[in-house]
Amino acid sequence: MADEDEKLDGKPEHPTPLRGPDEGVPPHPEGKRTSVAADIGALATGLKTTLGEFFTAPVTLEYPEDKSPRSERYRGRHYLRRYDNGLERCIGCELCAAACPVGCILVIAAENTDENRVSPGERYAKTYEINMLRCIFCGYCEDACPVQAIVLGPEYELSDTSREKFIYTKEKLLEPLPPDVQARLQTKAKET
Ligand code: SF4
Ligand code: SF4
């Protein structure tokens, strides 16, 4: 017996029950009583919402195959333009670099010569680089350019594998303009 008392560790063998045998079943809480019909009704309401969404057109896109349309005012990666005769528009004036709020444009100008004419003006951009990691795509460079040489296009998928590849050189910036940029520039030219 002494051993059993030690096992119980001082606690009574039959703890006091929460409800006494003579207290009966507690009353049902106040409020509407549920029924099978009410449960089926609630289930049908939920299914109606699910089915309604099933037949509604999805708002998500299968990116990258499908892309959402961009605003006409959207500004992505830059391009340097040429004239129709092949000469570069950029005259190396550095106004774009001066206007850039984050200092991500580097222009080093050189003199045009009769033997080596690159642009119509006295000078051309021997080096033109944009650090795309610093660019905030504000478009100030495009606004500052007196000859519309630098423009921003619609591309926003600019991921790459090293920091060096985000320094866009003149050769890369002189790639042909996408058709929608051409259309935007033509519209802008008509408005001015
Ligand atoms: S878009 Fe703005 S931040 Fe980017 S290069 Fe042009 S001026 Fe600089
Ligand atoms: S892009 Fe335009 S503003 Fe910039 S250096 Fe060339 S001509 Fe000047």
Side-chain angles (χ1 to χ4, degrees):
M1 192 65 188
D3 287 349
E4 283 179 17
D5 286 346
E6 279 173 21
K7 274 186 203 166
L8 290 170
D9 199 22
K11 291 177 188 167
E13 192 176 353
H14 303 292
T16 308
L18 291 175
R19 191 175 73 230
D22 54 341
E23 287 183 33
V25 178
H28 194 278
E30 294 283 325
K32 208 173 165 184
R33 294 182 74 96
T34 57
S35 67
V36 174
D39 289 345
I40 291 173
L43 184 64
T45 305
L47 282 174
K48 186 179 158 198
T49 305
T50 306
L51 284 172
E53 291 299 321
F54 185 76
F55 292 108
T56 305
V59 293
T60 52
L61 293 174
E62 295 292 329
Y63 182 85
E65 288 79 17
D66 297 334
K67 291 173 187 167
S68 58
R70 281 148 297 168
S71 159
E72 203 179 299
R73 293 174 296 165
Y74 184 83
R75 300 291 180 264
R77 73 152 278 196
H78 307 61
Y79 291 89
L80 278 173
R81 298 171 69 207
R82 292 180 187 272
Y83 289 105
D84 292 341
N85 61 6
L87 289 179
E88 295 173 11
R89 280 181 173 252
C90 180
I91 50 175
C93 67
E94 300 180 40
L95 283 176
C96 52
C100 179
V102 294
C104 68
I105 301 179
L106 170 70
V107 182
I108 300 175
E111 297 285 329
N112 278 309
T113 60
D114 291 338
E115 296 77 38
N116 180 34
R117 174 153 294 282
V118 180
S119 73
E122 288 180 10
R123 300 197 305 167
Y124 71 99
K126 188 177 175 191
T127 301
Y128 195 107
E129 290 178 358
I130 300 180
N131 183 341
M132 301 301 281
L133 289 176
R134 294 178 70 178
C135 177
I136 55 172
F137 301 95
C138 61
Y140 285 1
C141 50
E142 180 176 325
D143 292 343
C145 182
V147 290
Q148 282 200 323
I150 185 82
V151 292
L152 279 74
E155 287 82 3
Y156 54 86
E157 294 158 313
L158 305 178
S159 59
D160 222 318
T161 51
S162 73
R163 295 174 70 84
E164 290 71 28
K165 289 180 180 171
F166 283 98
I167 308 295
Y168 279 31
T169 59
K170 186 176 157 184
E171 289 67 37
K172 185 169 178 64
L173 292 165
L174 278 168
E175 284 173 358
L177 283 179
D180 42 356
V181 184
Q182 296 268 27
R184 177 171 72 80
L185 291 172
Q186 280 164 6
T187 311
K188 193 174 170 184
K190 279 180 199 161
E191 289 170 356
T192 52

